[in-house]
Amino acid sequence: MLKIYAAALLALLSAECGAPESRQSAPDAPPNPTGPRAVAGAAYRIDSMQSELRILVYRAGPMAMLGHNHVIANRTLGGWVRYAGTVTEASFALTVPDAGFVVDDEAMRREEGADFAEETPEHAKSGTLRHMQSAAVLDGAQFPEITVRSMKITGAQGEFTAAVAVSVAGHESTFEVPFTLEASPGRLTASGALWVHQSALGLTPFSAMLGALRVRDDMRIKFRFVAATL
């Protein structure tokens, strides 16, 4: 029995937020009439030095105490924004390189409070990162980046919602993403947070020992995207 527990614990420590059941090569995307519109106006580029995507992943199950909550972040973002002064007529596209993810930066864990107060061993950090970049999850060798493209933006007075298409390892999903926008000459800052189910992204949350050790399907996503005029 102890060997079973040890094996399950090792699997949990080396697991990220889940693995998809299967992966296929993504075909060349045909023109999408619901994709971002060509909008006249200033072109902006994402400032990777000022932007961040942060993902909070939570342990679950009767044996959850054997696992860890994780803070996973990416500060190597790319992309563009087309904005002519009216947010609802803007469009954007973002790229999130798989190789840019960092697991459990200590400063970030402190920022996220009590759920992330415990120390994460180095082998748990490296194992989580290695698993999430593997062919079983993000499949970085075949799909080196996650992409996000706008489809429609609604809202007013600084509070907006973007309908976006997200592609993760060849699986595309659509989401409604709330965000606030601060606009100043030559600079845009969009920020927000939402809960997303891994299964909605085509991922299968990790589970072992009939669910006694598992990762929650829902995860918290926080973001701050800064764009500057070209």
Side-chain angles (χ1 to χ4, degrees):
M1 183 64 70
L2 289 177
K3 290 184 178 180
I4 294 176
Y5 284 177
L9 175 58
L10 180 61
L12 181 64
L13 292 175
S14 64
E16 195 258 337
C17 56
E21 295 179 358
S22 63
R23 296 296 188 211
Q24 298 180 350
S25 300
D28 293 335
N32 188 338
T34 63
R37 293 164 290 177
V39 180
Y44 294 74
R45 179 168 293 169
I46 297 297
D47 182 348
S48 61
M49 299 296 292
Q50 301 295 322
S51 301
E52 179 188 281
L53 175 68
R54 188 176 297 195
I55 305 170
L56 308 182
V57 180
Y58 297 87
R59 61 192 178 184
M63 297 180 65
M65 74 291 296
L66 297 179
H68 302 90
N69 295 334
H70 292 294
V71 178
I72 302 170
N74 198 312
R75 290 178 170 172
T76 61
L77 311 174
W80 54 264
V81 179
R82 180 71 69 174
Y83 175 68
T86 302
V87 178
T88 54
E89 295 181 357
S91 60
F92 62 85
L94 306 171
T95 58
V96 184
D98 294 346
F101 282 105
V102 175
V103 176
D104 289 330
D105 174 84
E106 291 303 322
M108 293 184 188
R109 288 184 67 85
R110 288 193 295 270
E111 290 172 359
E112 295 302 333
D115 286 341
F116 302 89
E118 66 179 6
E119 183 177 351
T120 307
E122 287 300 321
H123 63 82
K125 297 178 185 180
S126 60
T128 296
L129 182 61
R130 182 170 57 253
H131 182 77
M132 69 180 289
Q133 293 177 337
S134 71
V137 185
L138 296 180
D139 195 1
Q142 186 169 350
F143 302 97
E145 61 189 21
I146 297 167
T147 63
V148 181
R149 58 182 176 83
S150 64
M151 301 171 65
K152 183 179 181 181
I153 300 176
T154 58
Q157 299 181 345
E159 301 285 340
F160 302 95
T161 299
V164 301
V166 181
S167 179
V168 179
H171 180 278
E172 186 170 277
S173 309
T174 58
F175 297 92
E176 298 286 324
V177 180
F179 68 97
T180 60
L181 182 71
E182 298 179 10
S184 58
R187 181 183 174 92
L188 301 171
T189 302
S191 57
L194 70 158
W195 289 94
V196 172
H197 284 82
Q198 297 172 44
S199 54
L201 291 167
L203 303 174
T204 301
F206 172 82
S207 180
M209 298 184 65
L210 301 178
L213 292 172
R214 64 179 186 271
V215 174
R216 276 169 45 179
D217 190 18
D218 59 326
M219 57 187 178
R220 186 70 167 168
I221 295 181
K222 299 181 176 182
F223 61 87
R224 181 175 184 268
F225 302 136
V226 177
T229 51
L230 298 176

